[in-house]
């Protein structure tokens, strides 16, 4: 039967109506931001019916708040606050033990560039307060006393400190761990694609329909510009930079990533981006590599399979791991 015009128009109108009706229900996407862990956390989730998506995203934010209560220095009852009291032994939650175990491993392998016992030093510089300051040398020396990869030991859920005066800070790794847990919960609740981003600590789940996840790596010296764009799926992308929390004094930039050897902000990098399997590992590695600098940093990275990095050194030069280019889509 030959097609006549009215029939074609009717079919087209029906198809359009169907597409319009199907789009919101078959491919909804939920995007929500909340303040958590001292930063803006954004969750995008899709691939499920709308009501279930909303529930999954709410559950993820609830989990983030629960873990933040455990791992933040600014929550008085947290494991980290209990560990920073003048005691030598604390029994912690399994999640805290997991973060500490991973952190201690990176601390050992980075020969102390990554350090979980910089709590006193961090307090001295006061980057989390309104008026960060340069502490005097004697105070820095005292805050570094007794720190190092052997300063904490973990057996099961029992953490032992080498000295009661040591204060624990999980700021270089906890955010990543929490993002991992939130992303896993989204997956468990059926979310087939999504992203959890906590101020540069990201997990990209699955792949959104028709457009892959593309992440711009920020130019550390030009806000809003990117130095490269990477395309990833089911990977963590984590950046540590000297442009997030800093102040300038006498032409010198002071920021929140410390070299545990000197007690002053690490000077070898402007930013480090790590792509790896877990955000917790990426978080710890990005901070450790930032302290170590391009050469020793890439040596450390070589210990970790499936891990790539782009290091922007203090002079602005770019140093990438051998497999980095495989993720880059531009420039
Ligand atoms: P990130 O943005 O992940 O590089 O983490 C920076 C945060 O990690 C700081 O605010 C401190 O809480 C903590 N931190 C600073 N220096 C170090 C270090 N050398 N090792 C481990 N954690 C650090
Ligand atoms: Mg980190």
């Amino acid at each position: 039967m030959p097609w006549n015009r009215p029939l074609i128009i009717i079919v087209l109108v029906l198809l359009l109506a169907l597409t319009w009706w199907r789009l919101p229900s078959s491919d909804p996407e939920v995007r929500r931001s909340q303040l958590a862990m001292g930063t803006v956390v954004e969750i995008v989730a899709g691939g499920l019916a709308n009501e279930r998506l909303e529930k999954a995203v709410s559950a993820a934010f609830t989990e983030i708040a629960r873990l933040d209560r455990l791992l933040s220095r600014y929550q008085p009852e947290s494991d980290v606050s209990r560990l920073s009291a003048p005691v030598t032994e604390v029994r912690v939650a399994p999640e805290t033990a997991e973060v500490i175990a991973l952190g201690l491993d990176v601390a050992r392998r980075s020969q102390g560039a990554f350090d979980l016992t910089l709590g006193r030093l961090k307090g001295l510089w006061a980057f989390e307060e309104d008026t960060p300051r340069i502490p005097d040398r004697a105070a820095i020396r005292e805050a570094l006393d007794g720190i190092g990869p052997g300063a904490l030991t973990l057996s099961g859920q029992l953490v032992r400190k080498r000295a009661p005066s040591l204060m624990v800070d999980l700021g270089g790794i906890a955010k990543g761990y929490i993002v991992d847990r939130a992303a896993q919960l989204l997956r468990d609740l059926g979310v087939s694609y999504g992203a959890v981003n906590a101020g540069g600590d990201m997990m990209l789940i699955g792949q959104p329909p028709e457009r892959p996840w593309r992440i711009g790596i920020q130019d550390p010296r030009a806000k809003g510009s990117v130095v490269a764009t990477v395309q990833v799926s089911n990977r963590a992308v984590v950046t540590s930079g000297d442009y997030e929390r800093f102040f300038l004094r006498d032409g010198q930039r002071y920021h929140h990533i410390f070299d545990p050897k000197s007690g002053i902000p690490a000077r070898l990098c402007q930013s480090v981006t790590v792509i790896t399997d877990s955000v917790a590992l990426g978080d710890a590695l990005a901070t450790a590599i930032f302290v170590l600098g391009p050469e020793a940093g890439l040596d450390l990275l070589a210990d970790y399979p499936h891990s790539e990095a782009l290091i922007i050194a203090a002079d602005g030069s770019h140093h990438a791991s051998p497999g980095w280019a495989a993720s880059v889509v531009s420039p």
Side-chain angles (χ1 to χ4, degrees):
M1 189 187 81
W3 288 80
N4 59 28
R5 262 170 91 165
L7 187 61
I8 291 176
I9 289 170
I10 289 169
V11 169
L12 279 178
V13 168
L14 272 177
L15 270 177
L16 264 176
L18 205 66
T19 327
W20 175 82
W21 174 74
R22 280 181 57 85
L23 261 182
S25 61
S26 69
D27 187 28
E29 203 171 276
V30 169
R31 182 180 291 265
R32 222 189 289 163
S33 301
Q34 265 181 32
L35 270 180
M37 307 183 275
T39 188
V40 178
V41 180
E42 184 180 41
I43 297 182
V44 182
L48 254 189
N50 203 36
E51 197 183 322
R52 289 179 63 199
L53 267 187
E54 291 283 354
K55 277 195 182 142
V57 171
S58 297
F61 276 117
T62 304
E63 178 68 350
I64 288 170
R66 181 184 78 82
L67 291 169
D68 193 31
R69 279 195 297 277
L70 212 52
L71 300 172
S72 163
R73 177 75 187 90
Y74 302 96
Q75 306 269 359
E77 298 303 317
S78 73
D79 277 351
V80 171
S81 294
R82 291 168 56 235
L83 276 166
S84 296
V87 294
T88 49
E89 272 189 14
V90 176
R91 185 165 293 280
V92 297
E95 294 92 337
T96 313
E98 204 183 329
V99 179
I100 290 177
L102 176 62
L104 289 179
D105 186 55
V106 176
R108 272 189 296 271
R109 294 202 208 196
S110 67
Q111 270 141 29
F114 188 77
D115 196 306
L116 298 179
T117 50
L118 291 176
R120 287 171 70 202
L121 185 77
K122 184 173 168 166
L124 282 183
W125 285 87
F127 274 95
E128 320 275 290
E129 294 165 30
D130 293 338
T131 51
R133 51 189 172 260
I134 303 173
D136 65 57
R137 278 170 193 278
I140 290 179
R141 221 176 301 123
E142 205 186 305
L144 296 180
D145 192 33
I147 68 155
L152 292 185
T153 47
L154 181 71
S155 37
Q157 285 168 242
L158 190 69
V159 184
R160 287 198 184 84
K161 301 198 294 185
R162 183 148 66 192
S165 60
L166 287 171
M167 289 170 90
V168 170
D169 170 36
L170 303 181
I173 184 172
K175 216 161 45 159
Y177 177 81
I178 295 175
V179 171
D180 277 329
R181 295 292 297 245
Q184 190 52 49
L185 186 58
L186 291 176
R187 287 191 190 98
D188 292 347
L189 294 174
V191 167
S192 62
Y193 72 92
V196 184
N197 178 7
D201 284 29
M202 286 183 231
M203 175 57 86
L204 294 315
I205 304 165
Q207 194 151 323
E210 291 155 31
R211 52 179 172 100
W213 294 116
R214 289 198 166 165
I215 312 298
I217 313 294
Q218 194 185 313
D219 182 333
R221 292 295 176 267
K223 210 173 178 187
S225 307
V226 301
V227 293
T229 303
V230 294
Q231 185 170 311
V232 290
S233 173
N234 293 318
R235 301 280 275 162
V237 182
V238 182
T239 299
S240 276
D242 68 1
Y243 52 88
E244 295 162 53
R245 253 174 226 157
F246 72 96
F247 63 88
L248 296 167
R249 183 85 39 90
D250 302 326
Q252 179 71 48
R253 180 183 287 257
Y254 295 92
H255 59 85
H256 68 143
I257 304 169
F258 307 107
D259 183 345
K261 285 207 181 90
S262 61
I264 62 168
R267 294 256 163 91
L268 298 174
C269 297
Q270 294 178 0
S271 83
V272 175
T273 300
V274 173
I275 301 181
T276 187
D277 292 330
S278 92
V279 194
L281 177 62
D283 196 356
L285 283 179
T287 306
I289 294 170
F290 192 102
V291 174
L292 290 170
E295 212 175 306
L298 288 176
D299 280 352
L300 172 68
L301 191 80
D303 273 5
Y304 293 88
H306 314 127
S307 303
E308 304 297 341
L310 173 69
I311 303 169
I312 304 183
D315 64 2
S317 57
H318 289 196
H319 306 258
S321 60
W324 170 265
S327 303
V328 176
V329 284
S330 76

